[in-house]
Amino acid sequence: RLEDHVRRAVPVGGLQGVAHPALRRQCQPAGGECGTGDVAGVDPDNPLNTASVRTPDGQCVTVDPERLREIFYADCPAADLALAKARLGPEPRAVMFQPVHVTPERFGRVPRAYIHCSRDVALPLFVQEQMGAASPCGTVLTLPTGHSPFFAAPQALAAQLGSLM
């Protein structure tokens, strides 16, 4: 069982957390430890650039609900899209652009792995590869899914996570 092996998985960016019941307990938000940066800077054609909606005070951002399937859930069952829509909310912009300071003595010694989602619209493969190059991982795996493999292919994701043990 995955729960017996995974102590903590940390999503390092985005406007949503892992919500699939098989992974929910293992995944914790990164909090202030990681920032996502600016998608527009590396991918000017990304649909997130036109689908992002700021709150009236400008402090938070979310995604136009009418664009959620296209960007995050294109390959996910309708029930999971409904669940995600019910749980999504504005995310603080400050966290997304907060500089991250790491050291080789601490962060550098933590084993890391990355699972590419080859059909991701929100973070296309070339953006994921740039992210991996900026913080190299010992293991890089790939799933043929969009942005939300925990909904689209939870068993395949669990198998890949299990293979890292």
Side-chain angles (χ1 to χ4, degrees), residues 40-133:
V42 295
D43 186 11
D45 298 323
N46 192 296
L48 276 176
N49 299 328
T50 57
S52 295
V53 179
R54 288 189 187 181
T55 56
D57 65 5
Q59 299 298 309
C60 296
V61 67
T62 190
V63 174
D64 177 352
E66 299 301 316
R67 309 269 315 269
L68 288 173
R69 177 171 285 287
E70 163 199 353
I71 296 170
F72 295 125
Y73 307 107
D75 56 351
C76 300
D80 289 334
L81 173 62
L83 175 65
K85 279 185 174 183
R87 293 173 184 252
L88 290 175
E91 295 286 334
R93 292 182 69 242
V95 173
M96 295 177 199
F97 299 100
Q98 180 68 36
V100 178
H101 304 285
V102 297
T103 64
E105 298 79 27
R106 296 190 52 128
F107 181 75
R109 64 186 177 90
V110 175
R112 294 181 301 281
Y114 194 105
I115 300 176
H116 287 145
C117 297
S118 64
R119 297 180 188 152
D120 194 342
V121 172
L123 292 173
L125 189 56
F126 82 92
V127 175
Q128 295 174 59
E129 289 169 343
Q130 289 176 2
M131 293 166 61

